[in-house]
Structures are given as C-alpha cells and as structure tokens.
Amino acid sequence: MNGLFITLEGVEGSGKTTQLSRLKKHLESTGHRIVVTREPGGTPISEAIRDILLDPTNGAMHPMTELLLYEAARAQHVAEHIRPALESGAIVLSDRYTDSTTAYQGAGRSISPETVGQLHQIATQGVWPDLTIVIDLDPTEGLRRRADDHAHDRIESEPVDFHRQVRTAFLALAEIESERIKVVDGSMSPDEIAGHIAALVDPLVEQKRGQLDRTPE
C-alpha cells in the first residue's frame, strides 16, 4: 500500500490523544494528507461496539467476549476505513490498534498469546502498523489524569494492578519488536513528547515521500 500507518499506544491517561492531534498538525504542515482514527471505533459499526465495550454497566462481560468484540470492531475498521485510506496514499494515525488488545486482553485478561495472535491475523486482514509509538507512563499517574477529565469507563475502572500488567506488556512488546515499536517517556512535558515523536516519524515519512498523497497547494 502507498500510505503510512502509525499507531500510538499506552496506558490510560498517557497523553495519546493529545499527541495524536499534535502529530496530525505537524504532518499537515508539511503538506501530507492525514487520516486520524481510533480503536475501538473509527466507523459507525465500530463505534457502536465501543459503546458496549466501555459501558461500566457491562461489568459481567466475559474476557473472551471482550476480545472478540475488540477484534470485530477492528475488522470493520480496517475494511471500511484504514485499508482504503492507506491504499489512497494517506498517512493514517490511529489512537490504539492491535498492541492494545495484546496488552489489555492478552496480558490483562490472561488470554493466551496464541489466541490473541490468531484473531489479530483475521481482524487486521494483513494491515499492520509501519511504526508504533508507546507513550510510557506510570499507570497510577495516568489514572489520576483521567479521573480529572471524566468518570472512569469500564476498562479504566479496573484495579491498578491490571493497568500495571498492561504497562509491562507494552514494554515487553517494545523489546520483542524493537524495529517497529518505540517507547517515549510520558512523564516529559507535552512539547518534549511531541518533539521525540516527530523525530521518530519524520524519517519514515521521508522514506515514503514519493508514494504518499499530498494535499493540494
């Protein structure tokens, strides 16, 4: 595909959404066409599944049901939104993707890596990120930040030990896939984080410059 697929990951409150917005503005300033999306979500069907997944009243949800719903939302997201954007030469920026499912449902819910991996293969239809940036932050600080913004959703309401397992899983993935996954210290200032992310993204954009779609002058 002609486009470039970049995902941002991290624990709750790590600042992904803020940094995604800043990265979008940075890349648009260089003339590239940017598509911003999120998981779960990104399409009407996937957003409806998101509402089910994050609703605190659905506390009885079985871990396998949760995993299957995340992957169902992803399958629709990829088919309807991500793949077409990449095929058209856009830079796609996503707030979460497969690594979140590996960390939250795999490590957090103790579902086997084999099961999670098999479902990833089905749901992604072969669409994998070119670059993943994990914004690393102590979960206690992240949850405190989220509590300042709004009431916790079903996932945010999990005990802090759950979120610590998720953080450990993200860092382990970064060690295993060090070429694709890069870790940025989330305790830095937003400006410092944005600078580190731009330094990771810009060389990759330059490598694919001839294939990427640009906005009209």
Side-chain angles (χ1 to χ4, degrees), residues 107-126:
R109 303 295 192 207
S110 300
I111 298 176
S112 75
E114 293 77 17
T115 298
V116 175
Q118 288 171 355
L119 290 172
H120 283 348
Q121 292 290 341
I122 295 168
T124 62
Q125 304 153 59

Side-chain angles (χ1 to χ4, degrees), residues 142-152:
L143 291 171
R144 185 196 63 76
R145 293 180 184 179
R146 296 296 282 169
D148 290 343
D149 292 335
H150 63 256
H152 284 167

Side-chain angles (χ1 to χ4, degrees), residues 147-167:
D148 290 343
D149 292 335
H150 63 256
H152 284 167
D153 62 34
R154 191 178 67 85
I155 300 298
E156 292 166 344
S157 298
E158 290 292 337
V160 69
D161 283 348
F162 171 88
H163 295 282
R164 290 191 179 111
Q165 288 179 308
V166 170
R167 181 195 190 187

Side-chain angles (χ1 to χ4, degrees), residues 134 136-137 165-176 181 183:
V134 173
D136 180 49
L137 186 70
Q165 288 179 308
V166 170
R167 181 195 190 187
T168 298
F170 276 131
L171 295 178
L173 285 169
E175 288 189 8
I176 294 168
I181 305 175
V183 178

Side-chain angles (χ1 to χ4, degrees), residues 17 20-21 28 35 56 87 94 99 104 109 113-114 135 168:
T17 304
L20 206 69
S21 176
E28 284 179 335
V35 172
E87 289 176 342
S94 184
D99 297 300
Y104 281 82
R109 303 295 192 207
E114 293 77 17
I135 303 177
T168 298

